[in-house]
Structure formats: structure tokens, C-alpha cells
Amino acid sequence: MLDPKGRVILVSGANRGIGRAIAETLHAKGYTLSLGVRDPGAAAGAFAAMAGDRLHLARYDARDWATHAAWVQAALAHYGRIDGLVNNAGAHSTKTIRDIDEATLDEVWAVNCKAPLNMIKCALPALESGGAGRVVNVASLSGKRVRNDNIAYNMTKFAVMALTHATRRLGWDKGVRATALCPSFVLTDMTAGTTKVAASAMIDAADLAELAATLIALPNTAAIAELLVNCRLEDTV
């Protein structure tokens, strides 16, 4: 396993839910973090327990590509390296083919698909230069099969799978390893309204974070392209 000491990991959407759990887990394991949040000043208090040399906060708006490049450059200026990127920020919509509108589709597409693509583009030179760069795209089992009618969400998560495999191909020879982390229902505010699975039966965000940390720590010789995480029995997909 790779030594976390000195390795710098970027995490988007780290202020709550899965992203927050991943940030806390990585920090506890000794990684240095640069977290992308909408308002770094407002978020500083929430991360007070992690404050110090191993924490950097930067402005990140998934829909604003200028903030992506600025975040990557700020992290490089602060730490001089980037060893990993966790694309976690996401948007959801329950609209179906019957009622989807262009504005909703564009919004979900921008956050779930275009933003991870641009973050990878911006960070790739730094990830390649270290020889052991890691990209974890928080996708979903909804990117592997369709069990609901949420068309925008499902389409974008399928697209994230393609993005992940394209990243693997592009960066492989320079040590970049990319993984699509595909959970079922995770107990966060995004799933608070669901009735399909009881909250007590959902994946704990802290457990998912442990899996993300493992993906980041694996050596180049033990790469995982897709990690499917179930909370209920499903056929293999």
C-alpha cells in the first residue's frame, strides 16, 4: 500500500455527506487534503478539527470551470503536488423521460459529468508527474443498471463510467489509476426521502469512505476499475 504521508488529495463536495466522510477518513489516515467547497470562509469552522498544515480549502463550483483550474493551481501553489482527486460533488433529479426539461438535464449534466471531466483535465499533468496518481469518481450503481426512472441522474452516472475508463486508458502508462466507486443507497441527505430502503439498511458514508481510501492507497499493480457496493441483494451487473 502507498504511504499516505505527504500525498495530497483533492476532494470535491467535501462539506457534507459522502465527501465529508471521505475527507475525514483520509485526513485521519495521514493524507494532506485540498477540499473544494462553495464558500471556503464559511466552511472553515466546519473543518476546525482538521485545521493545520494538512488542510487547504478552495472555492469550487461544479458549474464554473474557472474555479476548477483555480483550485488545482491553488493546491499546487500550496503543496507543490497533487497525488489524488476524488470527484464527489453531485446533483440529483427524479424527473423522468415524460417530464424532463432542458434546464434540469443541463444542470445535472454539468455537475455530475462535465465537472469531473474538467477536474481530471486540470489535475492530470500533476497526477501523471508523481507516477502514482489516483482518481476516484463517485458514481453509483445507477451507472451500471437502471432500476428507476430518474433519467438525468442515470444518464450522467453511466457517462461517469465512460469517463473513468477513458481516464484509466489515458493515464495508465504514467501511473494514473482511476476507479468508479459505485454505491447503492448511502445514508446521506440525498437519500433522506427514499422509501425503497430503510435508513438502517443503507450504506454508512464512513464505510464507503474507507473503500475510497483503500482505492487511493493501492499500488499501481493492484488497480480496480469499478467498485460496486451493495446494501441489498442484486444480480451481478
Side-chain angles (χ1 to χ4, degrees):
M1 304 290 272
L2 299 175
D3 185 352
K5 185 177 180 180
R7 285 178 63 81
V8 177
I9 312 297
L10 275 59
V11 184
S12 71
N15 58 311
R16 57 193 176 95
I18 294 172
R20 178 61 183 259
I22 290 175
E24 291 176 346
T25 296
L26 292 177
H27 191 269
K29 291 181 182 296
Y31 289 93
T32 296
L33 302 181
S34 180
L35 306 182
V37 294
R38 289 190 176 182
D39 187 341
F47 291 101
M50 297 164 57
D53 294 341
R54 291 193 294 116
L55 180 68
H56 171 253
L57 299 179
R59 181 171 178 267
Y60 172 74
D61 183 338
R63 297 158 297 186
D64 182 357
W65 282 28
T67 68
H68 305 178
W71 175 20
V72 169
Q73 291 307 312
L76 286 171
H78 201 75
Y79 293 120
R81 59 189 292 172
I82 294 174
D83 301 282
L85 167 65
V86 180
N87 283 309
N88 165 76
H92 187 260
S93 168
T94 58
K95 291 190 175 183
T96 74
I97 291 174
R98 296 184 186 278
D99 61 4
I100 191 68
D101 59 273
E102 188 174 12
T104 299
L105 181 60
D106 286 350
E107 170 77 10
V108 179
W109 192 262
V111 175
N112 289 1
C113 192
K114 291 173 64 177
L117 184 155
N118 194 50
M119 281 301 304
I120 293 169
K121 174 186 174 183
C122 292
L124 192 58
L127 293 169
E128 290 178 332
S129 69
R134 297 292 177 265
V135 176
V136 176
N137 292 325
V138 180
S140 169
L141 284 181
S142 290
K144 296 294 294 180
R145 83 294 188 260
V146 176
R147 294 189 64 173
N148 58 55
D149 297 323
N150 303 337
I151 188 61
Y153 186 77
N154 293 338
M155 287 175 63
T156 56
K157 291 304 181 180
F158 266 81
V160 169
M161 304 305 292
L163 172 62
T164 303
H165 284 282
T167 304
R168 293 179 74 241
R169 287 175 55 86
L170 188 65
W172 186 271
D173 290 342
K174 293 186 177 180
V176 176
R177 302 294 181 261
T179 306
L181 181 58
C182 305
S184 181
F185 292 95
V186 183
L187 186 57
T188 65
D189 54 0
M190 184 178 285
T191 58
T194 188
T195 58
K196 291 184 177 181
V197 178
S200 60
M202 292 183 184
I203 300 164
D204 190 295
D207 293 330
L208 195 68
E210 285 289 343
L211 295 176
T214 298
L215 295 172
I216 291 169
L218 288 173
N220 286 5
T221 51
I224 297 175
E226 302 177 3
L227 182 56
L228 280 55
V229 188
N230 296 99
C231 66
R232 56 181 177 175
L233 181 63
E234 296 193 31
D235 293 336
T236 301
V237 292

